[in-house]
Amino acid sequence: GFRKVVHIEQGGLVKPEKDDTEFQHPYFIRGQEHLLENIKRKVNSVSSIKNEEIKVRQDNVTKLLTDIQVMKGKQESMDSKLIAMK
């Protein structure tokens, strides 16, 4: 909920010479510490998408690891059959 304050002399079009960027929030008031608990970070829907992507990727990794274990088992079986044939 913080908003950038643009002063009239800056006009919002000209970049200020020095970085005096100022922000304001209705609950950010000097001497009113009890209001700070009302300031919350915005939650974007993008973060929920990222969580879903992470879950899908974890599922893919789990499947790959399972496939590797199966292939190892088959390789060991083929190795033992080859040794028996020799």
Side-chain angles (χ1 to χ4, degrees), residues 1-2 6 10 12 16-17 19-20 22 27 29 34-36 38 41-42 46 53 61 64 68 72 76 79 83:
F2 280 88
V6 179
Q10 291 174 344
E17 293 176 12
D19 189 17
D20 286 346
E22 183 180 334
Y27 294 123
I29 302 170
H34 66 281
L35 294 177
L36 294 176
N38 297 321
R41 182 181 292 268
K42 282 186 182 178
V46 174
E53 283 181 26
V61 169
L64 284 172
I68 289 171
K72 275 182 160 180
E76 289 171 359
D79 288 346
I83 289 171

PDB file of all heavy atoms in Angstrom, residues 1-2 6 10 12 16-17 19-20 22 27 29 34-36 38 41-42 46 53 61 64 68 72 76 79 83:
ATOM      1  N   GLY A   1       0.792  -1.203   0.000  1.00  0.00           N
ATOM      2  CA  GLY A   1       0.000   0.000   0.000  1.00  0.00           C
ATOM      3  C   GLY A   1       0.831   1.261   0.000  1.00  0.00           C
ATOM      4  O   GLY A   1       0.276   2.347   0.025  1.00  0.00           O
ATOM      5  N   PHE A   2       2.158   1.143  -0.014  1.00  0.00           N
ATOM      6  CA  PHE A   2       2.989   2.342  -0.064  1.00  0.00           C
ATOM      7  C   PHE A   2       2.900   2.958  -1.452  1.00  0.00           C
ATOM      8  O   PHE A   2       2.894   2.260  -2.457  1.00  0.00           O
ATOM      9  CB  PHE A   2       4.451   2.016   0.255  1.00  0.00           C
ATOM     10  CG  PHE A   2       4.717   1.889   1.724  1.00  0.00           C
ATOM     11  CD1 PHE A   2       4.564   0.683   2.369  1.00  0.00           C
ATOM     12  CD2 PHE A   2       5.111   2.991   2.468  1.00  0.00           C
ATOM     13  CE1 PHE A   2       4.803   0.559   3.729  1.00  0.00           C
ATOM     14  CE2 PHE A   2       5.347   2.886   3.821  1.00  0.00           C
ATOM     15  CZ  PHE A   2       5.196   1.665   4.447  1.00  0.00           C
ATOM     16  N   VAL A   6       5.135  12.245  -5.383  1.00  0.00           N
ATOM     17  CA  VAL A   6       5.730  13.084  -6.425  1.00  0.00           C
ATOM     18  C   VAL A   6       5.435  14.532  -6.063  1.00  0.00           C
ATOM     19  O   VAL A   6       4.281  14.940  -5.978  1.00  0.00           O
ATOM     20  CB  VAL A   6       5.147  12.748  -7.820  1.00  0.00           C
ATOM     21  CG1 VAL A   6       5.756  13.642  -8.881  1.00  0.00           C
ATOM     22  CG2 VAL A   6       5.360  11.293  -8.147  1.00  0.00           C
ATOM     23  N   GLN A  10       8.828  18.674  -8.906  1.00  0.00           N
ATOM     24  CA  GLN A  10       9.401  17.630  -9.759  1.00  0.00           C
ATOM     25  C   GLN A  10       8.495  17.356 -10.950  1.00  0.00           C
ATOM     26  O   GLN A  10       8.963  17.004 -12.019  1.00  0.00           O
ATOM     27  CB  GLN A  10       9.602  16.340  -8.962  1.00  0.00           C
ATOM     28  CG  GLN A  10      10.677  16.431  -7.920  1.00  0.00           C
ATOM     29  CD  GLN A  10      10.746  15.178  -7.066  1.00  0.00           C
ATOM     30  OE1 GLN A  10       9.823  14.370  -7.058  1.00  0.00           O
ATOM     31  NE2 GLN A  10      11.840  15.027  -6.343  1.00  0.00           N
ATOM     32  N   GLY A  12       6.907  15.004 -11.745  1.00  0.00           N
ATOM     33  CA  GLY A  12       6.796  13.604 -12.113  1.00  0.00           C
ATOM     34  C   GLY A  12       7.421  13.279 -13.458  1.00  0.00           C
ATOM     35  O   GLY A  12       7.540  12.137 -13.828  1.00  0.00           O
ATOM     36  N   PRO A  16      14.729  13.729 -10.486  1.00  0.00           N
ATOM     37  CA  PRO A  16      15.386  14.644  -9.551  1.00  0.00           C
ATOM     38  C   PRO A  16      16.903  14.475  -9.587  1.00  0.00           C
ATOM     39  O   PRO A  16      17.417  13.406  -9.907  1.00  0.00           O
ATOM     40  CB  PRO A  16      14.827  14.238  -8.188  1.00  0.00           C
ATOM     41  CG  PRO A  16      14.294  12.857  -8.380  1.00  0.00           C
ATOM     42  CD  PRO A  16      13.925  12.727  -9.814  1.00  0.00           C
ATOM     43  N   GLU A  17      17.616  15.565  -9.265  1.00  0.00           N
ATOM     44  CA  GLU A  17      19.078  15.541  -9.285  1.00  0.00           C
ATOM     45  C   GLU A  17      19.624  14.570  -8.246  1.00  0.00           C
ATOM     46  O   GLU A  17      20.584  13.873  -8.476  1.00  0.00           O
ATOM     47  CB  GLU A  17      19.635  16.941  -9.055  1.00  0.00           C
ATOM     48  CG  GLU A  17      19.324  17.878 -10.206  1.00  0.00           C
ATOM     49  CD  GLU A  17      19.798  19.302  -9.941  1.00  0.00           C
ATOM     50  OE1 GLU A  17      20.558  19.514  -8.981  1.00  0.00           O
ATOM     51  OE2 GLU A  17      19.393  20.184 -10.701  1.00  0.00           O
ATOM     52  N   ASP A  19      18.631  11.516  -5.220  1.00  0.00           N
ATOM     53  CA  ASP A  19      17.601  10.499  -4.976  1.00  0.00           C
ATOM     54  C   ASP A  19      16.900  10.771  -3.648  1.00  0.00           C
ATOM     55  O   ASP A  19      17.279  10.239  -2.614  1.00  0.00           O
ATOM     56  CB  ASP A  19      18.232   9.104  -4.995  1.00  0.00           C
ATOM     57  CG  ASP A  19      17.177   8.005  -4.969  1.00  0.00           C
ATOM     58  OD1 ASP A  19      16.011   8.295  -5.262  1.00  0.00           O
ATOM     59  OD2 ASP A  19      17.538   6.866  -4.662  1.00  0.00           O
ATOM     60  N   ASP A  20      15.885  11.613  -3.688  1.00  0.00           N
ATOM     61  CA  ASP A  20      15.074  11.918  -2.510  1.00  0.00           C
ATOM     62  C   ASP A  20      13.710  11.264  -2.654  1.00  0.00           C
ATOM     63  O   ASP A  20      12.684  11.882  -2.429  1.00  0.00           O
ATOM     64  CB  ASP A  20      14.901  13.437  -2.353  1.00  0.00           C
ATOM     65  CG  ASP A  20      16.157  14.117  -1.870  1.00  0.00           C
ATOM     66  OD1 ASP A  20      17.062  13.412  -1.402  1.00  0.00           O
ATOM     67  OD2 ASP A  20      16.242  15.353  -1.964  1.00  0.00           O
ATOM     68  N   GLU A  22      10.450   9.502  -1.917  1.00  0.00           N
ATOM     69  CA  GLU A  22       9.650   9.464  -0.697  1.00  0.00           C
ATOM     70  C   GLU A  22       8.416   8.621  -0.947  1.00  0.00           C
ATOM     71  O   GLU A  22       7.824   8.666  -2.018  1.00  0.00           O
ATOM     72  CB  GLU A  22       9.224  10.896  -0.326  1.00  0.00           C
ATOM     73  CG  GLU A  22       8.443  11.003   0.948  1.00  0.00           C
ATOM     74  CD  GLU A  22       8.046  12.454   1.243  1.00  0.00           C
ATOM     75  OE1 GLU A  22       8.730  13.379   0.794  1.00  0.00           O
ATOM     76  OE2 GLU A  22       7.023  12.622   1.932  1.00  0.00           O
ATOM     77  N   TYR A  27      -1.026   4.091   7.175  1.00  0.00           N
ATOM     78  CA  TYR A  27      -0.743   3.581   8.516  1.00  0.00           C
ATOM     79  C   TYR A  27       0.708   3.789   8.946  1.00  0.00           C
ATOM     80  O   TYR A  27       1.128   3.267   9.963  1.00  0.00           O
ATOM     81  CB  TYR A  27      -1.078   2.088   8.611  1.00  0.00           C
ATOM     82  CG  TYR A  27      -2.559   1.800   8.458  1.00  0.00           C
ATOM     83  CD1 TYR A  27      -3.012   0.944   7.469  1.00  0.00           C
ATOM     84  CD2 TYR A  27      -3.487   2.368   9.306  1.00  0.00           C
ATOM     85  CE1 TYR A  27      -4.355   0.669   7.329  1.00  0.00           C
ATOM     86  CE2 TYR A  27      -4.833   2.104   9.164  1.00  0.00           C
ATOM     87  CZ  TYR A  27      -5.270   1.256   8.186  1.00  0.00           C
ATOM     88  OH  TYR A  27      -6.605   0.988   8.049  1.00  0.00           O
ATOM     89  N   ILE A  29       2.782   6.425  10.273  1.00  0.00           N
ATOM     90  CA  ILE A  29       2.721   7.769  10.855  1.00  0.00           C
ATOM     91  C   ILE A  29       3.692   7.829  12.029  1.00  0.00           C
ATOM     92  O   ILE A  29       3.677   6.955  12.909  1.00  0.00           O
ATOM     93  CB  ILE A  29       1.282   8.095  11.349  1.00  0.00           C
ATOM     94  CG1 ILE A  29       0.292   7.978  10.181  1.00  0.00           C
ATOM     95  CG2 ILE A  29       1.231   9.479  11.965  1.00  0.00           C
ATOM     96  CD1 ILE A  29      -1.165   8.037  10.603  1.00  0.00           C
ATOM     97  N   HIS A  34       1.655   1.604  16.895  1.00  0.00           N
ATOM     98  CA  HIS A  34       0.593   0.595  16.949  1.00  0.00           C
ATOM     99  C   HIS A  34      -0.094   0.404  15.596  1.00  0.00           C
ATOM    100  O   HIS A  34      -0.716  -0.623  15.347  1.00  0.00           O
ATOM    101  CB  HIS A  34      -0.439   0.951  18.024  1.00  0.00           C
ATOM    102  CG  HIS A  34      -1.214   2.199  17.718  1.00  0.00           C
ATOM    103  ND1 HIS A  34      -0.698   3.475  17.920  1.00  0.00           N
ATOM    104  CD2 HIS A  34      -2.456   2.370  17.211  1.00  0.00           C
ATOM    105  CE1 HIS A  34      -1.598   4.370  17.554  1.00  0.00           C
ATOM    106  NE2 HIS A  34      -2.674   3.725  17.128  1.00  0.00           N
ATOM    107  N   LEU A  35       0.029   1.373  14.691  1.00  0.00           N
ATOM    108  CA  LEU A  35      -0.579   1.254  13.361  1.00  0.00           C
ATOM    109  C   LEU A  35       0.241   0.366  12.425  1.00  0.00           C
ATOM    110  O   LEU A  35      -0.267  -0.127  11.418  1.00  0.00           O
ATOM    111  CB  LEU A  35      -0.745   2.638  12.723  1.00  0.00           C
ATOM    112  CG  LEU A  35      -1.726   3.589  13.402  1.00  0.00           C
ATOM    113  CD1 LEU A  35      -1.716   4.939  12.709  1.00  0.00           C
ATOM    114  CD2 LEU A  35      -3.130   3.003  13.395  1.00  0.00           C
ATOM    115  N   LEU A  36       1.519   0.150  12.757  1.00  0.00           N
ATOM    116  CA  LEU A  36       2.404  -0.607  11.864  1.00  0.00           C
ATOM    117  C   LEU A  36       1.906  -2.030  11.617  1.00  0.00           C
ATOM    118  O   LEU A  36       2.124  -2.591  10.545  1.00  0.00           O
ATOM    119  CB  LEU A  36       3.830  -0.643  12.424  1.00  0.00           C
ATOM    120  CG  LEU A  36       4.545   0.702  12.488  1.00  0.00           C
ATOM    121  CD1 LEU A  36       5.904   0.537  13.147  1.00  0.00           C
ATOM    122  CD2 LEU A  36       4.685   1.304  11.103  1.00  0.00           C
ATOM    123  N   ASN A  38      -0.892  -2.928  10.896  1.00  0.00           N
ATOM    124  CA  ASN A  38      -1.895  -2.908   9.823  1.00  0.00           C
ATOM    125  C   ASN A  38      -1.265  -2.910   8.436  1.00  0.00           C
ATOM    126  O   ASN A  38      -1.974  -3.047   7.438  1.00  0.00           O
ATOM    127  CB  ASN A  38      -2.812  -1.686   9.965  1.00  0.00           C
ATOM    128  CG  ASN A  38      -3.611  -1.726  11.249  1.00  0.00           C
ATOM    129  OD1 ASN A  38      -4.072  -2.775  11.672  1.00  0.00           O
ATOM    130  ND2 ASN A  38      -3.750  -0.584  11.887  1.00  0.00           N
ATOM    131  N   ARG A  41       2.137  -6.916   3.394  1.00  0.00           N
ATOM    132  CA  ARG A  41       2.662  -7.064   2.034  1.00  0.00           C
ATOM    133  C   ARG A  41       1.549  -7.570   1.127  1.00  0.00           C
ATOM    134  O   ARG A  41       0.780  -8.441   1.497  1.00  0.00           O
ATOM    135  CB  ARG A  41       3.823  -8.052   2.036  1.00  0.00           C
ATOM    136  CG  ARG A  41       4.461  -8.245   0.677  1.00  0.00           C
ATOM    137  CD  ARG A  41       5.576  -9.250   0.757  1.00  0.00           C
ATOM    138  NE  ARG A  41       6.705  -8.760   1.523  1.00  0.00           N
ATOM    139  CZ  ARG A  41       7.744  -8.116   0.995  1.00  0.00           C
ATOM    140  NH1 ARG A  41       7.789  -7.897  -0.298  1.00  0.00           N
ATOM    141  NH2 ARG A  41       8.722  -7.703   1.754  1.00  0.00           N
ATOM    142  N   LYS A  42       1.487  -7.012  -0.096  1.00  0.00           N
ATOM    143  CA  LYS A  42       0.501  -7.488  -1.054  1.00  0.00           C
ATOM    144  C   LYS A  42       0.836  -8.906  -1.464  1.00  0.00           C
ATOM    145  O   LYS A  42       1.985  -9.265  -1.627  1.00  0.00           O
ATOM    146  CB  LYS A  42       0.508  -6.609  -2.312  1.00  0.00           C
ATOM    147  CG  LYS A  42      -0.197  -5.305  -2.169  1.00  0.00           C
ATOM    148  CD  LYS A  42      -0.249  -4.620  -3.512  1.00  0.00           C
ATOM    149  CE  LYS A  42      -0.921  -3.272  -3.402  1.00  0.00           C
ATOM    150  NZ  LYS A  42      -0.940  -2.577  -4.697  1.00  0.00           N
ATOM    151  N   VAL A  46       0.567 -14.251  -8.790  1.00  0.00           N
ATOM    152  CA  VAL A  46       1.754 -14.839  -9.419  1.00  0.00           C
ATOM    153  C   VAL A  46       2.437 -15.791  -8.452  1.00  0.00           C
ATOM    154  O   VAL A  46       2.918 -16.848  -8.854  1.00  0.00           O
ATOM    155  CB  VAL A  46       2.733 -13.718  -9.864  1.00  0.00           C
ATOM    156  CG1 VAL A  46       4.027 -14.309 -10.380  1.00  0.00           C
ATOM    157  CG2 VAL A  46       2.083 -12.841 -10.917  1.00  0.00           C
ATOM    158  N   GLU A  53       3.886 -24.276  -9.940  1.00  0.00           N
ATOM    159  CA  GLU A  53       4.996 -24.688 -10.801  1.00  0.00           C
ATOM    160  C   GLU A  53       6.012 -25.503 -10.010  1.00  0.00           C
ATOM    161  O   GLU A  53       6.523 -26.512 -10.495  1.00  0.00           O
ATOM    162  CB  GLU A  53       5.691 -23.462 -11.404  1.00  0.00           C
ATOM    163  CG  GLU A  53       4.944 -22.820 -12.539  1.00  0.00           C
ATOM    164  CD  GLU A  53       5.695 -21.624 -13.102  1.00  0.00           C
ATOM    165  OE1 GLU A  53       6.934 -21.570 -12.988  1.00  0.00           O
ATOM    166  OE2 GLU A  53       5.025 -20.743 -13.668  1.00  0.00           O
ATOM    167  N   VAL A  61      10.556 -34.379 -10.846  1.00  0.00           N
ATOM    168  CA  VAL A  61      11.805 -34.893 -10.294  1.00  0.00           C
ATOM    169  C   VAL A  61      11.567 -36.249  -9.647  1.00  0.00           C
ATOM    170  O   VAL A  61      12.343 -37.196  -9.841  1.00  0.00           O
ATOM    171  CB  VAL A  61      12.423 -33.891  -9.288  1.00  0.00           C
ATOM    172  CG1 VAL A  61      13.565 -34.516  -8.517  1.00  0.00           C
ATOM    173  CG2 VAL A  61      12.886 -32.626 -10.002  1.00  0.00           C
ATOM    174  N   LEU A  64      11.218 -38.809 -12.365  1.00  0.00           N
ATOM    175  CA  LEU A  64      12.520 -39.110 -12.964  1.00  0.00           C
ATOM    176  C   LEU A  64      13.345 -40.033 -12.070  1.00  0.00           C
ATOM    177  O   LEU A  64      13.971 -40.988 -12.555  1.00  0.00           O
ATOM    178  CB  LEU A  64      13.295 -37.816 -13.240  1.00  0.00           C
ATOM    179  CG  LEU A  64      12.839 -37.006 -14.452  1.00  0.00           C
ATOM    180  CD1 LEU A  64      13.555 -35.659 -14.477  1.00  0.00           C
ATOM    181  CD2 LEU A  64      13.110 -37.765 -15.736  1.00  0.00           C
ATOM    182  N   ILE A  68      14.677 -43.753 -13.008  1.00  0.00           N
ATOM    183  CA  ILE A  68      16.094 -44.108 -12.924  1.00  0.00           C
ATOM    184  C   ILE A  68      16.275 -45.380 -12.113  1.00  0.00           C
ATOM    185  O   ILE A  68      17.043 -46.268 -12.491  1.00  0.00           O
ATOM    186  CB  ILE A  68      16.922 -42.944 -12.336  1.00  0.00           C
ATOM    187  CG1 ILE A  68      16.997 -41.803 -13.344  1.00  0.00           C
ATOM    188  CG2 ILE A  68      18.314 -43.409 -11.926  1.00  0.00           C
ATOM    189  CD1 ILE A  68      17.591 -40.518 -12.801  1.00  0.00           C
ATOM    190  N   LYS A  72      17.902 -48.808 -13.445  1.00  0.00           N
ATOM    191  CA  LYS A  72      19.031 -49.440 -12.755  1.00  0.00           C
ATOM    192  C   LYS A  72      18.739 -50.917 -12.500  1.00  0.00           C
ATOM    193  O   LYS A  72      19.602 -51.772 -12.685  1.00  0.00           O
ATOM    194  CB  LYS A  72      19.305 -48.741 -11.421  1.00  0.00           C
ATOM    195  CG  LYS A  72      20.174 -47.537 -11.488  1.00  0.00           C
ATOM    196  CD  LYS A  72      20.371 -46.997 -10.077  1.00  0.00           C
ATOM    197  CE  LYS A  72      21.570 -46.112  -9.971  1.00  0.00           C
ATOM    198  NZ  LYS A  72      21.745 -45.593  -8.609  1.00  0.00           N
ATOM    199  N   GLU A  76      20.882 -54.043 -13.979  1.00  0.00           N
ATOM    200  CA  GLU A  76      21.486 -55.073 -13.129  1.00  0.00           C
ATOM    201  C   GLU A  76      21.023 -56.470 -13.556  1.00  0.00           C
ATOM    202  O   GLU A  76      21.812 -57.421 -13.581  1.00  0.00           O
ATOM    203  CB  GLU A  76      21.147 -54.814 -11.660  1.00  0.00           C
ATOM    204  CG  GLU A  76      21.858 -53.606 -11.083  1.00  0.00           C
ATOM    205  CD  GLU A  76      21.356 -53.219  -9.699  1.00  0.00           C
ATOM    206  OE1 GLU A  76      20.422 -53.880  -9.175  1.00  0.00           O
ATOM    207  OE2 GLU A  76      21.891 -52.247  -9.143  1.00  0.00           O
ATOM    208  N   ASP A  79      22.838 -57.316 -16.717  1.00  0.00           N
ATOM    209  CA  ASP A  79      24.241 -57.613 -16.417  1.00  0.00           C
ATOM    210  C   ASP A  79      24.390 -59.032 -15.878  1.00  0.00           C
ATOM    211  O   ASP A  79      25.288 -59.767 -16.299  1.00  0.00           O
ATOM    212  CB  ASP A  79      24.805 -56.607 -15.410  1.00  0.00           C
ATOM    213  CG  ASP A  79      25.036 -55.218 -16.004  1.00  0.00           C
ATOM    214  OD1 ASP A  79      25.017 -55.101 -17.248  1.00  0.00           O
ATOM    215  OD2 ASP A  79      25.228 -54.277 -15.210  1.00  0.00           O
ATOM    216  N   ILE A  83      26.446 -62.140 -17.632  1.00  0.00           N
ATOM    217  CA  ILE A  83      27.495 -62.874 -16.932  1.00  0.00           C
ATOM    218  C   ILE A  83      27.196 -64.375 -16.974  1.00  0.00           C
ATOM    219  O   ILE A  83      28.067 -65.208 -17.203  1.00  0.00           O
ATOM    220  CB  ILE A  83      27.647 -62.371 -15.483  1.00  0.00           C
ATOM    221  CG1 ILE A  83      28.265 -60.971 -15.484  1.00  0.00           C
ATOM    222  CG2 ILE A  83      28.479 -63.332 -14.640  1.00  0.00           C
ATOM    223  CD1 ILE A  83      28.270 -60.280 -14.134  1.00  0.00           C
TER     224      ILE A  83
END
